[in-house]
Amino acid sequence: MKYFYYPGCSLEHSAKEYDVSARALMRLLGHELIEVDDWTCCGASAADTTSRLLSIVLPARNLALAQKSGVRADMLVPCSSCYLNLRRADDLISRDGLTADLTNRVLKEEGLSYAGGIRVRHLLDVLANDIGAEAIAAGLKQSLSGLSVAPYYGCQALRPFSDFDDPEQPHSMDALIGAAGASVFDWSMAAKCCGAGLMTTKKELCLELVADILGAAKGADCIATVCPMCQMNLEISQKKISRMRGKALEIAIVYLPQLLGYSLGLPRDGLRLDLNLALTGSFKDLLADMSKQVAVPGR
Amino acid sequence: MAQNQASTGLETPGRGLFAEISKNLRACMQCGTCTGSCGSASKMDYTPRQVWRMVQAGMKEEIFKSRTFWLCSSCYYCTLRCPRGLPLTDTMAALKRVATAEGYFSDRKSPVFYKAFLDNVRKYGRVRETEMMTRYFLAVKNPAVPLSFVPLGLKLMAKGKMDVRISGFGGSGKLDRLYRKVMELEAAK
Ligand code: SF4
Ligand code: SF4
């Protein structure tokens, strides 16, 4: 299949490994990504605090650029915050005439317009529902057997738009993780909030939220994420949080496409695990041990 | 599954917006489900449920002196669970907009950060993290703030994950035309 691809600002810098592994995984599975030409920031959580109209115009500009290209495809978005912003813009423009009119009056300044109608999809939705566990199982090169993975969904991939998973008890990662040979760690924090953008302005609160998540993952070998903000919040302050709580809470944090890509035999430069900030020694040892074992026979 | 109705692109700035917020909350029955679902509630000075009541009572001063709405992380749990289907996360964002527009800065850090972010986007179209954080630190003028980010900065730097391009102040920006038009339309209402 063909998808428009909107990487968003984080994937250019702090979440490069998410961008690299998502693109490499999609290519390996035979799908084409068309990066939105000249894309700009979706407004993140900042635009909404200043101007409602700007918070719709910024993501809409990217949808307008995709529509202008004449290609018909869904829009694939790996960052949960970008996903929410693009999806909300499409939703409001499609069902509210006044919003559509105002947005298009602004977009006209750049010779653009957006009529609505591009389906905005989170990467997790595409992996779970378009690609599916069978495709992962069929391409398996390196089973992750013995690895216990805690799936972490965070908030904005699931809420407020909840049409591809349960917003309270999400499960769309389970089959994918299972197909890669790993086991799913059963925990209650999968859909809880990591504090998101508050890490910049309300650090103390954010550290508490992350500490609860890391604490609940005790017993798993790694946490799998599908959002650059979740990933960064979970990985960046593990030492400090361990000190704060008086126990060792270090755990490997990896992006879901890195994990799936590893099981499908993506080469190093398609995974960029060297860029992750929290890969524990024991996690690296587990991976090394696995690769010593014989690959899945007879597939 | 349907999501709760989000507010649209048009709203009245200032006094009018506060009245709109209040109208949106009229159906609140004070059940407290929102507060019970909120991961930030324990750090808020008023819980979400209390804030809705205060909005309805028109207690503007008290609301904007509080830090409650700046602590909303937009997790959408309250919006998902409210039995009355009220757009609560959107309401928290709307309170941030009123506070920013009317200069209620009980907490300077948040509005200053969001402004630095949006200025960066206006200028380059995409966020250049280093420059944005530099401007943010300059603007908050609290030496403790940048210091708390040194460990993060060093880690990202070591991985080659920081965009270190910094240019001069001012100048014309990539998204100037869009920003200008948004301001023009909002001022016209
Ligand atoms: S959950 Fe809804 S009805 Fe209940 S207190 Fe909160 S806003 Fe009011
Ligand atoms: S969206 Fe905001 S107010 Fe609502 S539960 Fe989440 S943090 Fe609390």
Side-chain angles (χ1 to χ4, degrees):
Chain A
M1 276 234 290
K2 226 186 239 175
Y3 298 92
F4 287 117
Y5 184 67
Y6 178 81
C9 303
S10 302
L11 273 73
E12 279 204 308
H13 304 292
S14 55
K16 256 184 223 161
E17 66 273 39
Y18 193 24
D19 184 51
V20 168
S21 59
R23 287 178 198 256
L25 181 65
M26 290 300 286
R27 198 180 313 119
L28 182 72
L29 293 164
H31 300 278
E32 188 192 342
L33 300 183
I34 309 161
E35 183 166 338
V36 177
D37 190 32
D38 190 39
W39 62 267
T40 44
C41 177
C42 71
S45 51
D48 211 19
T49 65
T50 307
S51 153
R52 185 71 192 171
L53 184 55
L54 187 64
S55 78
I56 296 163
V57 163
L58 286 175
R61 179 181 182 277
N62 299 295
L63 294 164
L65 286 168
Q67 201 154 59
K68 191 177 148 195
S69 75
V71 179
R72 290 182 67 89
D74 290 356
M75 175 81 78
L76 174 63
V77 189
C79 166
S80 298
S81 172
C82 300
Y83 161 73
L84 171 57
N85 284 336
L86 265 69
R87 181 136 181 209
R88 178 170 50 194
D90 170 67
D91 178 61
L92 286 171
I93 290 167
S94 299
R95 68 177 166 76
D96 181 74
L98 190 55
T99 302
D101 175 51
L102 281 168
T103 307
N104 279 314
R105 276 163 73 185
V106 179
L107 291 177
K108 203 165 151 235
E109 295 288 308
E110 290 202 12
L112 292 170
S113 69
Y114 181 58
I118 294 181
R119 224 175 132 203
V120 179
R121 315 268 312 271
H122 194 282
L123 173 67
L124 175 59
D125 177 15
V126 169
L127 289 175
N129 298 308
D130 291 11
I131 288 164
E134 305 75 35
I136 304 292
L140 199 66
K141 294 277 185 317
Q142 171 64 67
S143 168
L144 302 179
S145 120
L147 197 73
S148 172
V149 180
Y152 182 70
Y153 300 77
C155 301
Q156 297 181 347
L158 304 171
R159 299 181 295 270
F161 295 98
S162 319
D163 48 5
F164 76 88
D165 208 337
D166 183 324
E168 302 252 11
Q169 312 269 334
H171 49 70
S172 53
M173 274 195 243
D174 291 2
L176 296 167
I177 291 170
S183 62
V184 177
F185 182 76
D186 187 21
W187 68 333
S188 59
M189 301 302 279
K192 290 285 174 342
C193 184
C194 70
L198 295 184
M199 195 56 106
T200 316
T201 54
K202 301 282 174 233
K203 200 167 173 182
E204 314 73 39
L205 164 68
C206 216
L207 291 178
E208 297 285 342
L209 296 173
V210 173
D212 290 343
I213 294 167
L214 297 179
K218 206 113 194 93
D221 297 311
C222 67
I223 298 177
T225 68
V226 287
C227 169
M229 207 128 67
C230 299
Q231 172 81 17
M232 171 104 78
N233 282 357
L234 293 186
E235 67 186 353
I236 203 70
S237 302
Q238 294 193 357
K239 280 209 185 73
K240 183 174 182 160
I241 289 169
S242 297
R243 274 200 306 275
M244 213 169 84
R245 290 279 162 108
K247 51 185 164 206
L249 293 175
E250 281 91 355
I251 182 168
I253 317 286
V254 288
Y255 288 106
L256 182 68
Q258 288 184 300
L259 209 58
L260 299 178
Y262 191 89
S263 76
L264 296 179
L266 273 183
R268 270 164 196 271
D269 63 356
L271 298 170
R272 295 306 306 268
L273 283 162
D274 59 304
L275 290 177
N276 293 51
L277 299 174
L279 283 196
T280 55
S282 59
F283 179 78
K284 287 184 200 158
D285 292 347
L286 270 172
L287 288 192
D289 286 349
M290 272 175 209
S291 56
K292 273 184 221 135
Q293 287 157 19
V294 196
V296 190
R299 292 241 182 211
Chain B
M1 268 164 272
Q3 77 287 345
N4 292 343
Q5 202 85 343
S7 42
T8 57
L10 190 79
E11 57 186 23
T12 328
R15 198 171 288 275
L17 174 55
F18 192 78
E20 268 171 55
I21 294 172
S22 175
K23 209 171 92 197
N24 282 341
L25 293 171
R26 220 182 272 156
C28 170
M29 55 181 182
Q30 291 288 302
C31 68
T33 306
C34 46
T35 299
S37 306
C38 180
S40 303
S42 64
K43 296 276 189 296
M44 291 171 168
D45 29 19
Y46 300 105
T47 65
R49 180 188 61 80
Q50 287 171 322
V51 169
W52 315 141
R53 163 73 39 98
M54 290 159 76
V55 169
Q56 286 168 318
M59 298 162 68
K60 222 171 154 178
E61 284 292 320
E62 289 81 353
I63 293 168
F64 290 113
K65 262 189 230 143
S66 89
R67 45 191 248 130
T68 290
F69 54 94
W70 292 120
L71 284 167
C72 169
S73 62
S74 304
C75 77
Y76 287 88
Y77 260 121
C78 53
T79 302
L80 177 75
R81 292 179 177 168
C82 171
R84 287 290 162 95
L86 302 177
L88 302 177
T89 312
D90 274 354
T91 303
M92 288 293 186
L95 290 172
K96 291 176 191 170
R97 289 197 288 279
V98 179
T100 306
E102 300 190 18
Y104 287 109
F105 292 168
S106 70
D107 166 15
R108 266 177 58 76
K109 259 204 273 175
S110 301
V112 164
F113 172 71
Y114 295 127
K115 180 169 186 319
F117 187 100
L118 289 172
D119 284 349
N120 206 248
V121 172
R122 182 184 55 73
K123 208 153 146 200
Y124 303 114
R126 299 178 192 174
V127 181
R128 294 189 179 183
E129 287 158 336
T130 307
E131 171 163 341
M132 175 192 65
M133 291 311 274
T134 309
R135 298 261 192 271
Y136 167 56
F137 296 149
L138 284 174
V140 281
K141 296 190 183 73
N142 174 356
V145 174
L147 275 178
S148 71
F149 283 93
V150 167
L152 168 63
L154 290 178
K155 274 184 231 173
L156 292 179
M157 201 82 93
K159 296 273 188 185
K161 286 180 163 186
M162 289 260 272
D163 184 338
V164 288
R165 289 172 292 178
I166 296 187
S167 65
F169 284 87
S172 62
K174 168 145 180 91
L175 296 180
D176 279 351
R177 280 174 298 174
L178 293 191
Y179 274 55
R180 221 179 285 127
K181 191 72 185 175
V182 166
M183 285 194 300
E184 183 194 309
L185 287 175
E186 282 183 338
K189 181 150 186 234

